Amino acid sequence: MTIITEVDVVPGQEGGEEPATSKAYKFRFLPEAIPKCFGDRQLQADFKKWGLDDDMVILRFLYDSPADTESERQFMVQEFFKSTEAQRILPHACGGLSGIGPGTKVEMEQLTVQHTDMSIFHVLTEKRIVNAATGRIQGRFEEDWEGIPLYDTLREALVCEESELYETFSETIRQELLFKVFMHVVIGGASNQYEEVVTPY
């Protein structure tokens, strides 16, 4: 997974707002602007255990003009992947990623960041997916769901739309960035060694 985040925005010229398609965005790679937590040894060990160490990449870029509306953000993301800076950095940083250029098709999903703490996951104990006293995840018979092995009821609640447990999380919560990150580490990579207790996640 590659997460690309903007660190700062350099204010543009004063005046009325320009239409999104008339803006010319410039991007600059910030190689030193990596979250300190990613240097944590325990976190690195967890990523390896969950099968995420080979394809977990975080890159930060600076862009020079605000993208305040949805159409501007869509346009800015398209321009990013067309930029020479993206074409210079991404193929090397993302495990040989190729084919990035002016003709690249980009799909963007707008997420929300209304929730910034773990309170959205309290529902897991209310639904008895997680034991409130021990943090242990309720197990289940293993089943394959669209290529994802369901070892426990937590995975079932996250991805199995046909399960009653899927309604544990509302569609609004499922659009939260924090939820997406949580689901990603729980599902893990191909060599994921899943946790029996929810705390590491």
Side-chain angles (χ1 to χ4, degrees):
M1 179 182 71
T2 302
I3 301 177
I4 303 171
T5 60
E6 70 279 6
V7 175
D8 197 4
V9 178
V10 179
Q13 296 180 350
E14 297 295 329
E17 183 177 325
E18 299 179 52
T21 53
S22 70
K23 288 189 175 182
Y25 290 94
K26 293 182 180 179
F27 303 91
R28 181 163 59 88
F29 178 49
L30 303 176
E32 304 301 324
I34 303 299
K36 292 182 179 179
C37 64
F38 273 77
D40 182 80
R41 290 185 178 181
Q42 183 58 55
L43 185 59
Q44 293 297 327
D46 286 339
F47 283 158
K48 185 174 183 178
K49 181 180 181 182
W50 301 333
L52 297 173
D53 57 323
D54 291 334
D55 59 358
M56 175 71 77
V57 180
I58 288 189
L59 306 173
R60 286 192 171 186
F61 292 81
L62 180 77
Y63 62 93
D64 66 345
S65 184
D68 299 321
T69 67
E70 182 176 352
S71 62
E72 287 179 341
R73 288 189 287 270
Q74 291 274 1
F75 181 72
M76 186 269 289
V77 170
Q78 295 282 347
E79 289 297 291
F80 170 74
F81 284 98
K82 294 177 184 178
S83 70
T84 55
E85 190 75 338
Q87 294 175 48
R88 181 177 71 88
I89 298 297
L90 296 185
H92 303 288
C94 303
L97 182 67
S98 61
I100 297 176
T104 301
K105 181 180 179 181
V106 179
E107 295 182 1
M108 182 180 111
E109 180 182 8
Q110 186 74 34
L111 301 179
T112 54
V113 287
Q114 298 298 316
H115 297 272
T116 57
D117 59 40
M118 296 299 169
S119 61
I120 62 173
F121 302 114
H122 290 172
V123 68
L124 293 174
T125 56
E126 296 170 9
K127 296 290 185 178
R128 298 186 178 182
I129 294 171
V130 172
N131 185 292
T134 65
R136 191 172 186 83
I137 302 168
Q138 179 67 39
R140 52 155 290 165
F141 289 111
E142 184 176 341
E143 177 186 0
D144 184 270
W145 175 262
E146 298 183 354
I148 299 174
L150 303 181
Y151 303 115
D152 51 48
T153 54
L154 176 56
R155 285 177 164 227
E156 180 181 341
L158 291 176
V159 302
C160 188
E161 297 180 16
E162 295 180 357
S163 170
E164 292 181 358
L165 292 177
Y166 189 81
E167 298 179 1
T168 299
F169 296 102
S170 68
E171 290 304 317
T172 300
I173 293 298
R174 288 177 180 275
Q175 287 302 113
E176 284 286 324
L177 174 62
L178 187 59
F179 177 85
K180 296 289 188 182
V181 173
F182 177 74
M183 185 170 73
H184 189 75
V185 297
V186 171
I187 301 305
S191 59
N192 181 23
Q193 301 175 52
Y194 65 92
E195 303 286 348
E196 295 183 352
V197 177
V198 77
T199 307
Y201 297 136

